[in-house]
């Protein structure tokens, strides 16, 4: 499926919706559909987790974790084959996959969470499918930017953008030994990005402050993460598989989204800064933003 055919289908569906629904409702429906399309990789990963949890038997030859690795690799290959992701996007998503796997290895070593099931396809105790959970966030970021023709403006200096992302990533490691700076870092995201408007196209352009979009995104990611915890796919220290993930994890996702965003901007630098879109007649978006993607 090419980008041209996807755009053509989207345009036809949008015209069909607007001919039958009030304009605002049609815009909201299209917004949700486009968000779901952008989150396709993460959604399919969640489906894989839920289905394997429901059907897998302990005496099967292939362990569930290993099956999830094979499933994730197949998904990624299919996304590239059907041009749902470009190779440039895939390279950046690979960076996020690698950084996520490194974090997983560290966090398991520190006892933050664990993967209780057996499997052969593990790296230092981390099942290799876990990196694809982080990659699904990167996939969503890359696809949602393209699907909504997003522009981020005005945008802060690049060095501040990447320095904050690096500080956030490092804090996930260093807080085990020194003071946790997450509240300071959250405050810095507001200072640095509050003026940044995300312009996105549905039938016309709308805008939303970047931290607001990140907040709603982190909420949906927290919900998606509970699919993993409540299925027992991973278990947090001191928690049972039936427990909901702590709301503090939503704060972690909020910060991690900025790391993912900085990684994706390595490909999409042209959408940062510059003038607002020409038909920026729109007021702040009345709809809730981004839909869920799973935990890493």
């Amino acid at each position: 499926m090419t980008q041209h055919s996807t755009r053509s289908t989207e345009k036809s569906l949008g015209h069909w919706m607007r001919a039958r629904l009030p304009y605002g409702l049609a815009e909201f429906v299209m917004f949700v559909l486009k968000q779901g399309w952008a989150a396709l990789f993460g959604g399919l990963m969640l489906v894989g987790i839920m289905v394997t949890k429901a059907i897998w038997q302990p005496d099967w030859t292939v362990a569930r974790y290993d099956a999830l690795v094979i499933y994730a690799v197949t998904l990624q290959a299919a996304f590239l084959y059907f041009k749902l992701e470009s190779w440039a996007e895939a390279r950046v998503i690979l960076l996020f996959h690698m950084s996520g796997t490194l974090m997983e290895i560290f966090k398991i070593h520190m006892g933050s969470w664990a993967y209780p099931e057996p499997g052969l396809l593990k790296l230092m105790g981390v099942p290799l499918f876990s990196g694809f959970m982080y990659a699904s966030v990167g996939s969503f970021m890359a696809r949602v930017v393209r699907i909504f023709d997003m522009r981020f403006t005005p945008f802060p200096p690049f060095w501040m953008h990447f320095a904050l992302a690096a500080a956030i990533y490092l804090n996930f490691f260093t807080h085990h030994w020194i003071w946790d700076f997450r509240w300071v870092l959250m405050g810095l995201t507001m200072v640095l990005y509050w003026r940044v408007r995300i312009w996105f196209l549905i039938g016309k352009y709308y805008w939303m402050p970047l931290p607001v979009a990140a907040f709603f995104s982190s909420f949906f990611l927290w919900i998606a993460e509970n699919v993993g915890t409540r299925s027992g796919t991973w278990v947090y220290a001191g928690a049972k598989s039936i427990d909901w993930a702590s709301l503090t994890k939503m704060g972690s996702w909020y910060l991690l989204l900025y790391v993912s965003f900085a990684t994706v901007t390595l490909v999409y630098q042209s959408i940062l800064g510059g003038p607002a879109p020409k038909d920026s007649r729109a007021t702040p978006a009345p709809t809730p933003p981004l839909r869920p993607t799973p935990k890493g």
Side-chain angles (χ1 to χ4, degrees), residues 59-296:
D59 58 347
W60 286 7
T61 303
V62 179
R64 175 175 172 244
Y65 283 174
D66 295 339
L68 284 172
V69 176
I70 297 168
Y71 174 70
V73 171
T74 303
L75 271 184
Q76 184 62 75
F79 266 57
L80 290 171
Y81 179 79
F82 291 108
K83 302 186 187 304
L84 299 176
E85 287 174 358
S86 69
W87 281 100
E89 291 168 348
R91 286 193 290 270
V92 172
I93 292 167
L94 176 62
L95 290 177
F96 203 58
H97 185 292
M98 294 168 63
S99 64
T101 300
L102 177 62
M103 186 186 298
E104 287 284 316
I105 292 171
F106 176 81
K107 290 294 187 178
I108 285 181
H109 176 73
M110 298 302 295
S112 298
W113 58 77
Y115 291 90
E117 297 180 29
L120 295 176
L121 300 178
K122 288 186 174 184
L123 179 63
M124 300 179 69
V126 176
L128 296 182
F129 79 84
S130 67
F132 286 95
M133 305 303 290
Y134 287 88
S136 66
V137 180
S139 173
F140 171 77
M141 284 277 190
R143 284 169 54 78
V144 81
V145 164
R146 173 163 42 82
I147 289 168
F148 280 91
D149 290 315
M150 286 183 173
R151 178 169 292 278
F152 299 78
T153 189
F155 203 76
F158 253 36
W159 73 266
M160 292 184 181
H161 172 58
F162 287 108
L164 180 56
I168 290 171
Y169 185 71
L170 288 173
N171 187 70
F172 281 108
F173 295 84
T174 60
H175 80 84
H176 288 279
W177 300 293
I178 62 176
W179 188 59
D180 190 348
F181 286 90
R182 74 178 58 203
W183 295 108
V184 174
L185 294 168
M186 286 180 183
L188 288 175
T189 65
M190 299 296 290
V191 171
L192 193 60
Y193 295 109
W194 183 252
R195 292 181 63 247
V196 179
R197 292 180 174 184
I198 305 178
W199 291 93
F200 57 96
L201 181 65
I202 309 177
K204 63 179 182 178
Y205 275 98
Y206 298 87
W207 66 266
M208 183 180 298
L210 193 153
V212 173
F215 170 78
F216 281 107
S217 299
S218 63
F219 172 71
F220 285 115
L221 282 166
W222 175 78
I223 292 176
E225 180 170 13
N226 279 284
V227 173
T229 56
R230 293 178 70 82
S231 69
T233 304
W234 56 84
V235 181
Y236 284 104
K240 299 177 182 178
S241 62
I242 59 172
D243 293 338
W244 284 84
S246 167
L247 278 172
T248 60
K249 302 301 178 185
M250 184 174 159
S252 299
W253 276 117
Y254 173 85
L255 289 174
L256 196 61
L257 279 168
Y258 287 95
V259 179
S260 179
F261 177 53
T263 305
V264 170
T265 57
L266 293 171
V267 169
Y268 287 119
Q269 294 186 27
S270 62
I271 65 171
L272 306 178
K278 287 185 179 180
D279 69 335
S280 56
R281 302 163 286 160
T283 53
T287 52
L290 318 178
R291 288 171 66 87
T293 44
K295 172 207 180 273

